[in-house]
Every structure is written in structure tokens, then in C-alpha cells.
């Protein structure tokens, strides 16, 4: 199975690969820049090459970059919108240049302007950014639906995809904590949720899973991650998710509140629950 966690890029690319190896991971996620600030450092290509050598030698799965949280591609405020677009564009170009396969982002918040308005803003931004010549795929993350968040339903995700010209470069990342909070009952009806995803979006679009437990109850529209087995989703449901025929080959990235050693234990736990066949 492909399993790993979110790692800090602060000490460089090779360090992430070494950290991943040290905890038994064979994939990982990192922020394309400082998650809250907007500064980006020039990329050290030697460091990237060192990372890639480690990934190749150890048969890693696809590495996922996550856009900073401060972006809002659905904003009506032209400053916020412009800043969000330029960060997404710069980071997308950088990730393409170093051949990172996936770039995940939170679709955005419409701030009262309405879902349709927000969806159009997001699609317009993506149409400015994607030229069709890229190799890095952009992933839309499913959201819990707090406040005016877009992406809480499969329909919303699909309508963003439909409005993007080069949408062969758009995929989806399911976050188990977020979908459960959004009202998709992966605990009692995983099969139904997957069928609905296939129906509304198409399973061919599903490229990655953020594997998190949740501190909040079902359908709460709140976003608080819990460590695996310690939340409202629970170990049993998580076991079903990682083994489901439609999901089991996908890369799983933990975003649980844990340090490296805690993630090592979670990875060990999930590997133990994964049905090797
Ligand atoms: Fe996220
Ligand atoms: Fe997530
Ligand atoms: Zn979250």
C-alpha cells in the first residue's frame, strides 16, 4: 500500500524523503510554501535530485504538494483573488518544473456571494493558470463545508471540473475527515458514498486520499482532525476505507495531529490492517 503523512519542507526535500523512510512511509505530502505566509524560497535543484534518488530507490508512490491555506480562489475581493491566483500559478509552475505529480488545494470560500459565484471564480482562476502543457495534476480537496466553503459536495466539485478547459489535469483528493463532516457516511455506508462519488464525479478522477479520523460528529460541517482510531470515524471504518477495492490502490496521506514518531505508529497500524493480496 502507499501510505505516508504530511511532512515539513522547512529542512529541504532530501530531508523529507529521509524522514518518510524513517517512519516506514512510501509517500508523503508537503506544503508548496509556508502554509500561512506567502513567501516562497528559490528551489534547490540538487536537493530535489537527492530526494528523487531516494524515492526511486525505495519505490515511493506519488508525492503530493498542498497549496497554502491562505488562498481563496473563490474570493470576490480582487486583492485576495489576485494574490491567490498568483501564488497558485507560481507554485504550480515550480511543481511542474520538478515533476511533482499532484498539487492539492482547498477550492475556496464564497464569503456570502453564493456557491455558483464561487465555483465560477475558481474555474476562471484555474483556466488562467492551466495552459494544458503541464504534467502536474491539480487536485480539488473535498471539504467539510464550514462557513461558506465550496467543495463540501461531490456536485460542487464536479461543477468546478466541468468549467475547466483542460480538465484532464484536474483530479480529486478525498479527505475522510472532511467528507464525514460534510455528511457522507463513510462509517455506515462506505459503499453508498463511493457509488455516489462515481455517479457524480467518476472514480477515474479520484487520485488521492487524506486519511484522517475526526474529532467532530457526523455531518457537523466542522474540520478537526483526530489521530487514527481516536475519533468519530474509528478504526473499523478506516480499515474499510484503506481496503475498499476502489480506494486500496490510491496513495493515503495522514494529516493527523501527531509528531513523526506518532505518524510512524499510525503507519504501522494501517499497514497491519491492510489486506495484502
Ligand atoms: Fe487540505
Ligand atoms: Fe485534507
Ligand atoms: Zn481538514
Amino acid at each position: 500500500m502507499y501510505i505516508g503523512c504530511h511532512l515539513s519542507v522547512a529542512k529541504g526535500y532530501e530531508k523529507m524523503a529521509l524522514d518518510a523512510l524513517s517512519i516506514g512511509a512510501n509517500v508523503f505530502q508537503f506544503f508548496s510554501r509556508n502554509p500561512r505566509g506567502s513567501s516562497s524560497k528559490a528551489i534547490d535543484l540538487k536537493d530535489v535530485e537527492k530526494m528523487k534518488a531516494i524515492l526511486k530507490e525505495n519505490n515511493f508512490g506519488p508525492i503530493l504538494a498542498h497549496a497554502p491555506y491562505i488562498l481563496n480562489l473563490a474570493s470576490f475581493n480582487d486583492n485576495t483573488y489576485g494574490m491567490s491566483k498568483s501564488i497558485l500559478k507560481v507554485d504550480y509552475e515550480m511543481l511542474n518544473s520538478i515533476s511533482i505529480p499532484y498539487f492539492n488545494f482547498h477550492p475556496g470560500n464564497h464569503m456570502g456571494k453564493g456557491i455558483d459565484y464561487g465555483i465560477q471564480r475558481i474555474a476562471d482562476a484555474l483556466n488562467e493558470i492551466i495552459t494544458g502543457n503541464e504534467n502536474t495534476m491539480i487536485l480539488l480537496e473535498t471539504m467539510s463545508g464550514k462557513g461558506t466553503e465550496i467543495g463540501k459536495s461531490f456536485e460542487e466539485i464536479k461543477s468546478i471540473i466541468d468549467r475547466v478547459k483542460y480538465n484532464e489535469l484536474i483530479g480529486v483528493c478525498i479527505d475522510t475527515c472532511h467528507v464525514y463532516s460534510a455528511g457522507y457516511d463513510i462509517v455506515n455506508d462506505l459503499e453508498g458514498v463511493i457509488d455516489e462519488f462515481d455517479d457524480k464525479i467518476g472514480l477515474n478522477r479520484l487520485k488521492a486520499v487524506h486519511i484522517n479520523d475526526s474529532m467532530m460528529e457526523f455531518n457537523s460541517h466542522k474540520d478537526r482532525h483526530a489521530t487514527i482510531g481516536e475519533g468519530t470515524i474509528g478504526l473499523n471504518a478506516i480499515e474499510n476505507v484503506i481496503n475498499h477495492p476502489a480506494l486500496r490502490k490510491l496513495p493515503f496521506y495522514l494529516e493527523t495531529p501527531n509528531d513523526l514518531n506518532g505518524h510512524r505508529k499510525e503507519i504501522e497500524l494501517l499497514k497491519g490492517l491492510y489486506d495484502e493480496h
Side-chain angles (χ1 to χ4, degrees), residues 35-48:
R36 306 225 169 251
S38 57
S39 65
S40 67
K41 286 194 289 194
I43 204 124
D44 178 349
L45 290 175
K46 276 202 180 126
D47 185 32
V48 171

Side-chain angles (χ1 to χ4, degrees), residues 35-211:
R36 306 225 169 251
S38 57
S39 65
S40 67
K41 286 194 289 194
I43 204 124
D44 178 349
L45 290 175
K46 276 202 180 126
D47 185 32
V48 171
E49 286 317 312
K50 284 182 191 161
M51 170 188 77
K52 285 198 181 159
I54 296 169
L55 303 186
K56 198 171 172 203
E57 194 171 323
N58 295 281
N59 299 310
F60 270 59
I63 303 310
L64 179 67
H66 195 305
Y69 290 146
I70 50 155
L71 304 194
N72 185 5
L73 271 302
S75 180
F76 58 83
N77 177 304
D78 285 328
N79 288 330
T80 308
Y81 191 56
M83 180 270 297
S84 300
K85 281 193 294 187
S86 77
I87 288 179
L88 200 75
K89 185 176 164 60
V90 168
D91 288 7
Y92 191 41
E93 283 171 2
M94 180 274 287
L95 294 165
N96 266 288
S97 76
I98 62 170
S99 303
I100 298 295
Y102 297 135
F103 185 26
N104 174 78
F105 81 105
H106 296 177
N109 296 278
H110 64 73
M111 317 287 285
K113 285 278 191 176
I115 291 165
D116 198 66
Y117 174 91
I119 287 173
Q120 194 57 48
R121 283 289 256 193
I122 296 161
D124 289 345
L126 291 172
N127 283 326
E128 273 183 53
I129 291 160
I130 305 172
T131 68
N133 297 316
E134 294 86 359
N135 298 306
T136 300
M137 205 174 202
I138 291 188
L139 305 187
L140 302 168
E141 180 167 353
T142 60
M143 303 309 293
S144 63
K146 64 177 185 296
T148 62
E149 219 165 45
I150 292 167
K152 64 186 179 297
S153 72
F154 299 155
E155 288 88 346
E156 290 175 15
I157 299 275
K158 176 66 158 92
S159 68
I160 299 169
I161 295 171
D162 282 344
R163 296 180 203 192
V164 175
K165 185 175 178 202
Y166 299 109
N167 67 21
E168 66 276 13
L169 285 166
I170 306 283
V172 179
C173 173
I174 280 190
D175 185 311
T176 51
C177 166
H178 298 176
V179 287
Y180 192 59
S181 285
Y184 290 100
D185 193 354
I186 56 171
V187 174
N188 299 300
D189 187 21
L190 178 62
E191 205 57 50
V193 174
I194 289 170
D195 281 351
E196 189 172 343
F197 186 98
D198 195 26
D199 216 52
K200 302 277 165 60
I201 301 176
L203 280 168
N204 59 321
R205 295 274 183 194
L206 184 56
K207 303 298 174 187
V209 178
H210 283 163
I211 191 88

